[in-house]
Amino acid sequence: MAERLSLSSRHRKMIEALLRRHLPEVEVWVYGSRINGRSHGGSDLDLALRAPRLRRIDADRLKALSDAFRESNIPFLVEARDWACLPENFHREIEKNHVVLVYGEQSTEKPRF
């Protein structure tokens, strides 16, 4: 698993704050170019949102989070997808290479970068 996240600490803090405000119980995994060494400054940030017991996240809450990202000063696209809505083959690919950005409220573990 990748241990390095290509994201400035300033932007990481902004993203984490929005995630904790809108979906505090959700564990968030980063996947894609921001962890596989192929990103550049304008690369999007791909997030998989894993609700407790991997249940679906309410659509209104997802929209509020998406709106918050869009209205923020984050200078790149943040793509946040509900794990429960992703196809199984996507799950397998993400599980192979991801970094945990935010642990859910009930987790005692801390992110490692």
Side-chain angles (χ1 to χ4, degrees), residues 14-65:
M14 292 169 70
I15 291 163
E16 288 176 357
L18 290 172
L19 289 164
R20 291 194 191 287
R21 183 176 313 130
H22 291 275
L23 298 171
E25 73 285 2
V26 171
E27 183 170 281
V28 181
W29 290 4
V30 179
Y31 64 96
S33 65
R34 292 271 179 176
I35 63 158
N36 67 19
R38 294 185 294 221
S39 69
H40 53 81
S43 291
D44 66 344
L45 178 67
D46 296 305
L47 305 177
L49 308 174
R50 295 170 47 95
R53 295 180 298 286
L54 301 179
R55 291 190 175 167
R56 277 197 140 163
I57 299 168
D58 178 75
D60 290 336
R61 294 179 72 204
L62 286 175
K63 183 177 179 337
L65 176 64

Side-chain angles (χ1 to χ4, degrees), residues 1 29-32 35-36 38 48 83 86-99:
M1 176 164 52
W29 290 4
V30 179
Y31 64 96
I35 63 158
N36 67 19
R38 294 185 294 221
W83 182 266
L86 294 173
E88 192 63 36
N89 62 331
F90 225 64
H91 289 181
R92 288 190 297 274
E93 288 302 311
I94 295 170
E95 286 169 338
K96 289 179 192 175
N97 192 19
H98 68 275
V99 170

Side-chain angles (χ1 to χ4, degrees), residues 66-78:
S66 178
D67 291 346
F69 282 136
R70 193 173 35 263
E71 294 166 4
S72 74
N73 292 327
I74 299 167
F76 48 83
L77 182 64
V78 180

